[in-house]
Amino acid sequence: MSTPTKIRVAVNGYGVIGKRVADGVARQEDMILAGVADIGTDWRPRMAIRNGFPLFGATAEHADAMQQAGMDVAGTLDDLLGEVDVVVDCTPKRVAARNVELYRRLGRKFILQGGEKHEATGHSFVAEANYASAVGRDSTRVVSCNTTSIVRTLTALKKAGLLRRARGTLLRRATDPWESHQGGIMNTLVPEGQIPSHQGPDAQSVDPGLDEITMAVKVPETLAHLHYWSVQMTRPAAKEEVLDAFRASSRIALIQMSDGLAALNVVKEMMADIGRPHDNLYEVALWADMLRVEGDELFYAYMVDNQAIVIPETIDAVRALAGHEPEASASIRRTDAALGIGSLFV
């Protein structure tokens, strides 16, 4: 029996998400990271070279600027796209949407991130909710960090037959940690100007059957997001039954305040201590001892690492588009094993 051909993947944009996607792809046994493309000449693309990733300039001008800055450049984005099966676009919001025409013209399957609109691909992706509908597609969009967490947790309840409707309040970090010296809010809170906030309708782009409403407020910190949810279940249930529903997802990690994991910074510190690259928390970290059930009402809170949660979803999306793995559970197991997901808590 012949060995299946590995999926050749390009990452366009080597920033907060792109560098994590590149690292994650490089860890997959069934994928090859063909290279990363960028426009910068500062320390960030130099880290791609340091990590052994072939570096390409977004254009000939960018490639020339990189060479002038002393970087070893393998070519341009056009060169890279000629060598790959799937491209993951991690460029800034609205830039990715402009790249869609290029990918389609070259016949390359592509993945956008949650900053772009659902209409750019006509499909939005969370592995545990709708993997099968992405298999063999030309493109998909991995939804945002907050939307990913919403779909993961509500899908777990839905699969257990416990979800009727959900209402959530999001406390959103002001900016990415590495940019906190450049701007962000200070000494104030900024509510999103409408209810529902955009994450609720976005979650419904993945699963139109979700009955949920979100409200969001931006807060002056950069580590992660914090969610509070109130859920009406289909029937009264015991707390342990609800926890078992969440435990069924490898990408929801039940944590305990009683273990000292009482704040976002402490959970991030633990990620560093266990050796996760970039201190990544790929899972939704949900406080089990805070969770409360009152008849058919459920209340819980969890943490979202805005820089890491979409990485396993993106890797699963690569596998789905390539059509190499038709089963969601098999892809999730492979991704989880490569990234160490599911091994944090027992």
Side-chain angles (χ1 to χ4, degrees), residues 264-284:
L264 307 183
N265 58 303
V266 183
V267 178
K268 285 291 282 183
E269 183 72 7
M270 186 173 71
M271 296 303 101
D273 286 350
I274 66 174
R276 284 275 181 91
H278 306 293
D279 307 343
N280 287 337
L281 171 64
Y282 303 113
E283 304 88 343
V284 174

Side-chain angles (χ1 to χ4, degrees), residues 29-91:
E29 293 183 350
D30 60 336
M31 298 180 191
I32 294 174
L33 180 65
V36 301
D38 205 80
I39 63 173
T41 56
D42 61 6
W43 62 273
R44 289 168 292 177
R46 295 179 190 277
M47 294 300 101
I49 297 171
R50 184 185 180 94
N51 288 329
F53 303 154
L55 177 65
F56 295 76
T59 66
E61 291 76 16
H62 290 117
D64 182 64
M66 289 174 172
Q67 289 174 332
Q68 293 297 320
M71 298 183 199
D72 183 11
V73 181
T76 66
L77 176 61
D78 284 348
D79 298 324
L80 175 59
L81 293 178
E83 303 175 359
V84 302
D85 304 302
V86 180
V87 54
V88 181
D89 194 304
C90 301
T91 59

Side-chain angles (χ1 to χ4, degrees), residues 118-198:
H118 172 79
E119 291 73 21
T121 62
H123 188 272
S124 295
F125 182 91
V126 175
E128 291 173 313
N130 67 341
Y131 181 97
S133 64
V135 173
R137 283 184 59 91
D138 291 332
S139 63
T140 190
R141 164 183 169 263
V142 173
V143 293
S144 72
C145 50
N146 282 313
T147 304
T148 297
S149 75
I150 293 168
V151 176
R152 276 190 198 171
T153 52
L154 297 186
T155 295
L157 296 173
K158 185 177 179 179
K159 287 181 176 179
L162 293 174
L163 178 65
R164 175 165 293 166
R165 63 178 61 92
R167 306 294 183 254
T169 300
L170 289 61
L171 305 177
R172 300 181 56 205
R173 61 95 178 97
T175 189
D176 286 329
W178 86 273
E179 292 181 314
S180 58
H181 66 294
Q182 295 180 352
I185 65 172
M186 290 289 290
N187 196 36
T188 190
L189 302 175
V190 182
E192 188 157 326
Q194 61 184 18
I195 298 174
S197 60
H198 71 273

